[in-house]
């Protein structure tokens, strides 16, 4: 029987004692082991029961009958507290283990640096000695010719020759990984810490380009080696990997002779097309001693050292692309850190820390990402041995069009991947050099505002290729894009470097017979480098049409965009820059700059944009599809050029904002009218410092915490201006703001409330709207506590637009 007794001391971990509020200090309630067992079972099912649930427990469990409800409440409170303490203790122990291992790594790095300093001191003393002996060497008339006998030729085709090469390679690799064979410097922007990918360094003054990384991974060494050896699974640019020879070594290891192709190219007219000879399509690079050193870590996991050292023969590529082949930082971003991040991703998935949407297994989602990326790489490269051949152009070499009749894309149940009728894939590609365009900002804009560059009929044509019916040219069933797109995340990497998502495009039929049919289109989309902290070497948006319930083996036809920076700067334009008037709010109009304190050097950032779209075709429609593909890519190029001009730091700022507000007063004047009209109608000030004017007033309005929107005073009101909070709420930018209309952001109840108060708004000049829910430009629900609408009057007292202020908004 349970009894309340006076006890002194703390509560036990088993939950046998709990102090009850209201009793004397130091008095506890004692529970029998049977009662604790019952409560523990109940806690597993419901850690936080309501009052009615606790009453029910007392009625259903006779063993708890003599315990008061208040005592039960206290027991659950204390049990939750202990559970929280255990979790926090486990977390702190894990952090402590990571810090201990990281400290060991840093001590090893410090020891290596001390050796490097000693070596440099020795070399410096030797050079001084040589300089002192220079005069004596110049006075002698004796000449000497010292020759070094060549190394004996080793036959790599036999085990003994390979063993000799392997031993030398291993020794040199160790001297790079843990010694001073290369002068390593810390990679800018990669600071070591318990949550960082690791300690990353790049070479300075050595032959070729090299990168080194060491980090902690919560995987056993054998698992780490297994993952790293499967290079195509994590290195997307690895086109092929073939093991020619493999035999055991004397120390229990294995020696392998491997051939690997790493491919990525940009286009420059038909000269870069797939009709070139196979030997001319590759830049032969030399991989110098590189590899992975994996050691077990105390407490579990592994310490991984990675070295990538290559001579990419930069002299053999066009001059504009040479920075990519001469940068050790690019090697670190494309190869070295990618390997570490992949290991961390696998470790988190294995431990169950990552839970993905739609119940998909992590390995399946990784496979989707790999297939999208590899399909896009294949389309860009267009190599002859993959089946690509060039299609004659129309005399203008701005777009390269190639076809591949060996690719089949349709999945017809058990019949496998086939294509209904003879045909294949046509790929239209183009590239351009971007100046002063932040890559992450451009890719994020293309992702969030598809209607700015895409043609819904083309999307519908690509989606129809997944169905059993034969492909037909777009236009046979006229459609239009409603402007709505819903982005549903599927998975992301540890540091959000890469995001996999499903995009739903809302279509509307223009014919009455198809009005009841669903015309939504679904895309599987891979985004890379759009996070504001991204430090990758490329930024891309790759997508492919899918069925709404796409299976794990769904066929994918990849298309999209890839931006590769040519100038790898440490202080480039912040990728988090908003596409709006932000750049004009921190500086004068005489010197507009991008927000994020963009330096003059960052405004000269150069990058290469590659665009590739793939179109399935049937043989009798090849010429028509090729013409359509060429024209479509040209229209996309034109749209991207317009967007690039709008988001370029040299083009942004107040003047750019004024151009966007064509037909309306300049931004500073509009801000003054908005604030004056608010005071005129409501009798209170919108801003705290109402005496400000000009750009100072605009800056205050821009940074106002509530979302402020302006829309045209027309039959179909269109948004024309928004402050930063307003753009964040709508998830849009000033470039695409005019695509949104007032009726699109309100749900049905919100539209009814607004339209019912229109007469009141026109009569008294303002109206308060109750709390409710509206929609962002990305289709997400946004709740707000209150909204106020008022007429904005100009100097002539005429109504120029309507203004809205949404108070305390948040995403639902």
């Amino acid at each position: 029987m349970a009894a309340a007794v006076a006890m002194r001391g703390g509560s036990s971990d088993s939950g046998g004692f709990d102090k009850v509020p209201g009793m004397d200090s130091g008095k506890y309630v004692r529970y029998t082991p049977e009662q604790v067992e019952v409560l523990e079972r109940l806690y597993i099912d419901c850690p936080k029961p309501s009052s009615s649930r606790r009453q029910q427990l007392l009625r259903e469990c006779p063993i708890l009958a003599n315990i008061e409800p208040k005592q039960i409440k206290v027991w659950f409170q204390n049990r939750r507290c202990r559970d929280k303490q255990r979790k926090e203790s486990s977390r702190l122990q894990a952090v402590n283990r990571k810090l201990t291992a990281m400290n060991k790594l840093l001590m090893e790095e410090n020891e290596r640096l001390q050796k490097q300093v000693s070596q440099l001191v020795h070399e410096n003393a030797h050079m001084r000695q040589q300089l002192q002996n220079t005069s004596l060497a110049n006075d002698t008339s004796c000449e000497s010719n010292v020759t070094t006998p060549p190394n004996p030729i080793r036959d790599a085709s036999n085990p003994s020759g390979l063993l000799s090469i392997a031993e030398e390679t291993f020794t040199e690799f160790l001297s790079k990984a843990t010694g001073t064979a290369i002068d390593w410097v810390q990679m800018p922007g990669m600071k070591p810490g318990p949550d960082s990918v690791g300690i990353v360094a790049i070479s300075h003054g050595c032959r070729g380009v090299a990168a080194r990384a060491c980090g902690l991974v919560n995987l056993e060494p054998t698992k780490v080696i297994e993952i790293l050896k499967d290079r195509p699974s994590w290195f997307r640019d690895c086109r092929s990997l073939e093991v020619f020879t493999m035999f055991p070594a004397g120390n229990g290891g294995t020696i392998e002779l491997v051939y690997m192709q790493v491919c990525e190219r940009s286009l420059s007219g038909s000269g870069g097309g797939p009709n070139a000879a196979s030997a001319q399509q590759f830049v032969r690079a030399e991989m110098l001693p590189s590899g992975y050193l994996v050691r077990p870590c105390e407490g579990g996991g592994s310490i991984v050292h990675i070295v990538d050292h290559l001579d990419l023969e930069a002299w053999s590529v066009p001059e504009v692309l040479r920075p990519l082949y001469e940068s050790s930082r690019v090697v670190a971003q494309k190869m070295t850190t990618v390997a570490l991040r992949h290991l961390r991703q696998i470790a988190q998935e294995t431990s169950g820390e990552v839970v993905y949407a739609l119940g998909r297994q992590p390995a399946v989602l990784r496979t989707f990402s790999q297939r999208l990326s590899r399909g896009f790489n294949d389309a860009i490269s267009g190599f002859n041995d993959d089946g690509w051949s060039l299609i004659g152009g129309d005399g203008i070499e701005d777009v390269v069009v190639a076809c591949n009749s060996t690719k089949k894309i349709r999945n017809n149940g058990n019949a496998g991947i086939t294509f209904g009728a003879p045909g294949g894939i046509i790929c239209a590609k183009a590239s351009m050099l971007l100046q002063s365009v932040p890559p992450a900002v451009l890719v994020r804009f293309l992702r969030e505002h598809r209607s700015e560059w895409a043609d819904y009929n083309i999307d519908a044509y690509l989606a129809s290729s997944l169905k059993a019916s034969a492909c037909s040219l777009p236009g046979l069933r006229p459609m239009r894009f409603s402007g709505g797109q819903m982005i549903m995340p599927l998975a992301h990497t540890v540091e959000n470097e890469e995001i996999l998502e499903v995009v739903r495009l809302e279509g509307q039929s223009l014919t009455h017979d198809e009005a009841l049919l669903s015309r939504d289109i679904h895309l599987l989309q891979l985004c890379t480098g759009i996070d504001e902290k991204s430090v990758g070497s490329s930024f891309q948006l790759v997508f492919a049409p899918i069925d709404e319930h796409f299976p794990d083996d769904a066929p994918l036809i990849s298309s999209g965009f890839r931006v590769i920076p040519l100038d790898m700067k440490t202080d480039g334009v912040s990728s988090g820059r908003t596409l709006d008037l932000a750049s004009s709010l921190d500086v004068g109009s005489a010197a507009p700059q991008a927000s994020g304190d963009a330096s003059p050097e960052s405004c000269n950032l150069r990058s290469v944009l590659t665009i590739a779209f793939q179109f399935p075709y049937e043989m009798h429609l090849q010429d028509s599809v090729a013409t359509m593909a060429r024209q479509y890519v040209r229209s996309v190029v034109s749209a991207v050029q317009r967007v690039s001009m709008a988001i370029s730091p040299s083009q942004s700022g107040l003047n750019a904002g004024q151009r966007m507000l064509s037909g309306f007063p300049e931004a500073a004047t509009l801000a003054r009218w908005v604030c004056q009209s608010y005071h005129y109608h409501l009798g209170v000030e919108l801003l705290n410092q109402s005496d400000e004017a000009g750009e100072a007033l605009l800056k205050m309005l821009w940074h106002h915490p509530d979302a402020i929107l302006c829309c045209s005073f027309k039959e179909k009101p269109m948004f024309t201006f928004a402050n930063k909070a307003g753009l964040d709420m709508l998830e849009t930018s000033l470039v695409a703001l005019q695509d949104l209309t007032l009726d699109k952001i309100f749900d049905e109840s919100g539209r009814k409330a607004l339209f019912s108060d229109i007469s009141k708004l026109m009569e008294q000049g303002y109206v308060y709207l109750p709390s409710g829910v509206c929609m962002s430009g990305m289709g997400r629900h946004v709740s707000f506590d209150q909204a106020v609408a008022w007429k904005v009057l100009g100097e002539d007292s005429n109504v120029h637009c309507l203004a809205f202020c949404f108070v305390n908004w948040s995403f639902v």
Side-chain angles (χ1 to χ4, degrees), residues 312-475:
L312 298 175
E313 299 185 4
W315 55 268
S316 60
V317 300
E319 184 176 357
V320 68
L321 298 179
R322 285 181 190 172
L324 299 177
Y325 295 83
E326 297 172 338
S327 172
S328 294
R329 183 173 181 179
V330 172
V331 173
Q333 293 171 335
K334 291 180 67 65
M335 298 178 64
T336 316
T337 59
V338 169
L340 268 184
R341 286 194 173 97
H342 183 72
L343 290 172
R344 292 185 65 193
Q345 186 75 24
I346 298 294
Q348 288 201 359
E349 293 173 355
T350 304
S351 64
E353 297 179 37
V354 182
V355 179
Y356 292 134
L358 302 182
R360 300 280 179 146
Q361 293 296 321
V364 174
L365 296 177
R366 281 201 311 275
T367 301
F368 276 126
S369 300
Q370 292 166 6
R371 291 174 56 198
L372 278 173
S373 185
R374 291 186 184 281
F376 190 62
N377 287 345
D378 179 62
I380 292 177
S381 299
F383 292 115
N384 291 342
D385 53 356
D386 285 336
W388 292 98
S389 60
L390 191 67
I391 295 180
D394 54 3
I396 305 176
E397 294 189 352
D398 57 338
V399 177
V400 176
V401 180
C403 69
N404 191 330
S405 59
T406 65
K407 285 188 174 292
K408 311 299 178 184
I409 55 93
R410 182 168 300 138
N411 190 347
N412 289 335
N414 297 328
I417 299 179
T418 59
F419 190 43
I425 299 291
I426 283 178
C427 181
K429 303 169 282 188
S431 64
M432 67 180 74
L433 182 66
L434 301 178
Q435 186 80 17
S436 306
V437 179
V441 178
L442 175 60
V443 172
R444 191 163 65 245
F445 182 89
L446 295 174
R447 169 182 177 255
E448 296 175 356
H449 307 287
R450 188 179 182 89
S451 61
E452 290 290 321
W453 54 268
D455 185 334
Y456 185 84
N457 283 316
I458 297 295
D459 291 328
Y461 169 78
L462 296 176
S464 69
S465 66
L466 301 177
K467 301 178 180 179
S469 59
C471 297
S472 58
L473 289 177

Side-chain angles (χ1 to χ4, degrees), residues 501-514:
E501 57 197 13
V502 172
V503 181
R504 188 185 72 186
L505 306 177
E506 298 176 356
Q508 296 179 358
S509 177
L510 299 182
T511 61
H512 177 72
D513 295 337
E514 298 179 351

